[in-house]
Amino acid sequence: MLRRGIVAGVGALAGCSLFDGPATDEPERTADPPDATPTTAGTVGPTPTGTGTDAPGTDAGDRESTPTDRAPSTTPGAQSPTGEWRVVQADDAHTGWKRETVGPEPPVEVTWSVGLGGGVQRSVTVADGLAYAGSAAGSVTAVETVDGAERWTHERRSEVRATPTVTDGTVYCGDENGDLTAVDAASGSEQWSFAAEGDRPGPTAVRSGPVVADETVYVGATDGRVYAVDDGGSERWSFDAGGFLGVVAPVALAGGRVFAGSDAGRLYAVDAADGEEFWRYAGTGETRAWSGPTVADGVVYAGGVPGGVFAIDAVGGTERWRLETDRPVFSSPAVADGTVYVGTDGGLVLALATEGGSERWRFETDGAVKSSPAVVDGTVVFGTTAGAVVALDTEAGTERWRFETDGAVTGSPAVVDGTLYVGDTAGRLYALGTSGQ
C-alpha cells in the first residue's frame, strides 16, 4: 500500500517535473545479466545548425562497421498489415502512417463507446478483431471491434498509462508499479511479468508502449533505463539514459537500432542486439526532455521540451535541422509523404517539410495537442486536451471533421478498416465511423 502511494505521488508530479533540469548522470550500459531560445509561434522557422553531439568514444566512426551502422531503411506506412494497429503510431518506427488504410468520412458518428472505469491516457491498439486499452483503473481491457463487447480485463496492481503492444497473440504492457507484463491476447491470462528495477532509489514506472522484434521486447522506464527483455521475461540488457523521469516516451526500433529520448535532455541510438551506444544527441542547451522518437528514411524526428522539433541523422546523430516552438512538444511526430506532422502544447498542429523543416501549414485548435497524429488516406487525425478528435486535410491543413469527447484526448488514434479508435481521460473508449454505415 505504501509503494502504491509513492507511485501515485510520482505520477501526480509528472506534469511539472518534466521541466526540471537535466540530470548529470552519465549513461552506462549494464552487462548482460546472468540474469534554443524559444520563439513565438508567429516566428517559428527552421534553423539548420549541423551541431550533433556524439559522445566521446561512441561515434559511429569509432566502431567497427556492422549491419546496424547502415542507415535504418524504414519505409513509412509499410510496417504492418492494414487490418491492424498493433503498436502506438502504427509501426515499430512510430511513423504514424498507414498507406492503404482508410479512415471515417464526414459526417462521423460514434459506432460504439464503452466505459473502462478509469482514464485512458495513452493510445488504443487493434489486432485480430480486438481493441486493447490500458486505464487508470489499473487494468488492460480487450473489447470486440464490432460492438465494443468486453472480451476480457486483466487487472494490474497499479494504474496502466502505457499503450499495449500486440504481437503474435500476446499483449505487452507496462504499469505504474514498474512491471512489464505479457498477457495472452485471446484470454487475458498472464504469461510472464518483468520488474524494471534499476539502481536508482524509489519507485519505477513503465509508462511507454514497448516495441517487439526477434523475440525481444524493448521498453523504457522512469528509472532512466531502456530494457531489452526476452519473450520469457528475462532481461537481456539495459541501457542507462538518465533523467529524473527517465524514459517516458515509447522507444522506436529501426535498422537494428533502438532510439530513445530521456528526461535528461538526450536522445540516443543503441544497438538492439546488445545495448551498445552508437551516439547521443543533446539538442539545444535548454532541451530537457524528448517526445518521440520517430524514424523515417534514415532520419530521427523528435519533439523537445521546453520547445522544438528536431531532425537528426539516424546513423551518426548529427542534427539536420531544428524548428523552435514557443511551447513544449509532447506530441510524437508522424511522417508521411515527405511531411512531418506534430502538435504543440500551444494548441498548434504543424506540417513541416522533411527536407529542411520549412513550414507547409499550421492549424490552431483549442487545448494542447499532446496526442501523436495518425495519417491515413490524405487525413491527419489527432486529439486535444480540450476534449476533441480533429481530422485535417494533409495538403491544405483545413478541418475535415471534429468529434467532441467527454474528456481530454492525449493518446494517438488508431485507424483500422474505416473506423477510428481512441480513449479519453474520462475513461471512455470510442469507435468512430462514417455516419449511416
Side-chain angles (χ1 to χ4, degrees):
M1 184 176 297
L2 176 61
R3 185 176 184 185
R4 287 189 183 182
I6 296 173
V7 172
V10 172
L13 292 172
C16 59
S17 45
L18 278 175
F19 295 91
D20 293 345
T24 58
D25 54 314
E26 288 300 315
E28 60 182 357
R29 185 180 68 87
T30 63
D32 292 350
D35 93 74
T37 304
T39 61
T40 64
T43 59
V44 172
T47 308
T49 62
T51 56
T53 53
D54 294 335
T58 59
D59 186 271
D62 294 336
R63 298 185 58 190
E64 183 179 352
S65 179
T66 68
T68 53
D69 288 325
R70 296 192 299 268
S73 55
T74 304
T75 302
Q79 300 301 310
S80 59
T82 58
E84 62 182 34
W85 199 282
R86 64 177 182 82
V87 63
V88 61
Q89 289 190 277
D91 53 55
D92 293 341
H94 302 322
T95 64
W97 181 29
K98 293 293 273 297
R99 288 177 181 270
E100 305 300 328
T101 295
V102 296
E105 294 290 334
V108 172
E109 66 178 7
V110 177
T111 302
W112 52 258
S113 72
V114 295
L116 299 183
V120 180
Q121 294 197 10
R122 295 297 186 264
S123 306
V124 180
T125 47
V126 180
D128 301 320
L130 293 175
Y132 304 87
S135 79
S139 61
V140 180
T141 300
V143 301
E144 304 280 352
T145 56
V146 65
D147 58 8
E150 182 180 317
R151 171 73 69 87
W152 53 257
T153 293
H154 178 81
E155 301 292 344
R156 301 303 306 155
R157 293 183 294 165
S158 61
E159 181 178 355
V160 178
R161 296 191 186 183
T163 299
T165 296
V166 191
T167 300
D168 296 331
T170 301
V171 181
Y172 304 89
C173 196
D175 60 39
E176 290 297 285
N177 200 55
D179 293 329
L180 170 68
T181 305
V183 175
D184 182 78
S187 67
S189 59
E190 183 173 319
Q191 296 176 339
W192 53 259
S193 185
F194 168 81
E197 297 176 339
D199 298 331
R200 181 184 304 179
T204 295
V206 176
R207 294 178 181 166
S208 64
V211 292
V212 185
D214 299 325
E215 299 183 339
T216 304
V217 186
Y218 303 94
V219 71
T222 61
D223 64 359
R225 291 187 176 273
V226 177
Y227 291 90
V229 182
D230 71 25
D231 204 7
S234 298
E235 181 180 317
R236 287 187 168 169
W237 54 258
S238 69
F239 175 83
D240 189 356
F244 175 69
L245 279 183
V247 181
V248 295
V251 301
L253 179 65
R257 295 184 177 194
V258 177
F259 300 87
S262 85
D263 185 51
R266 296 186 288 263
L267 187 69
Y268 295 93
V270 302
D271 195 321
D274 59 12
E276 188 73 23
E277 180 181 324
F278 282 103
W279 52 257
R280 71 183 72 171
Y281 170 79
T284 65
E286 295 184 1
T287 303
R288 299 175 185 175
W290 295 96
S291 68
T294 296
V295 189
D297 298 324
V299 181
V300 183
Y301 302 92
V305 176
V309 183
F310 298 76
I312 304 101
D313 181 80
V315 174
T318 55
E319 183 180 291
R320 296 250 183 128
W321 54 262
R322 74 171 181 263
L323 183 82
E324 296 179 351
T325 58
D326 67 329
R327 298 292 299 274
V329 178
F330 292 107
S331 167
S332 296
V335 182
D337 277 336
T339 303
V340 180
Y341 303 93
V342 67
T344 78
D345 262 23
L348 289 178
V349 174
L350 302 172
L352 312 172
T354 55
E355 293 294 330
S358 60
E359 183 177 314
R360 291 183 168 166
W361 52 256
R362 65 172 58 194
F363 179 87
E364 186 171 356
T365 188
D366 294 334
V369 182
K370 300 179 185 295
S371 170
S372 301
V375 184
V376 293
D377 194 31
T379 304
V380 55
V381 192
F382 57 91
T384 77
T385 59
V389 179
V390 183
L392 309 177
D393 180 84
T394 55
E395 291 297 322
T398 53
E399 184 172 317
R400 298 193 64 198
W401 57 263
R402 174 186 295 260
F403 175 80
E404 305 295 331
T405 56
D406 291 341
V409 178
T410 54
S412 178
V415 186
V416 175
D417 297 332
T419 301
L420 183 147
Y421 302 88
V422 71
D424 68 12
T425 57
R428 296 209 70 81
L429 173 59
Y430 299 88
L432 306 180
T434 301
S435 178
Q437 290 189 356

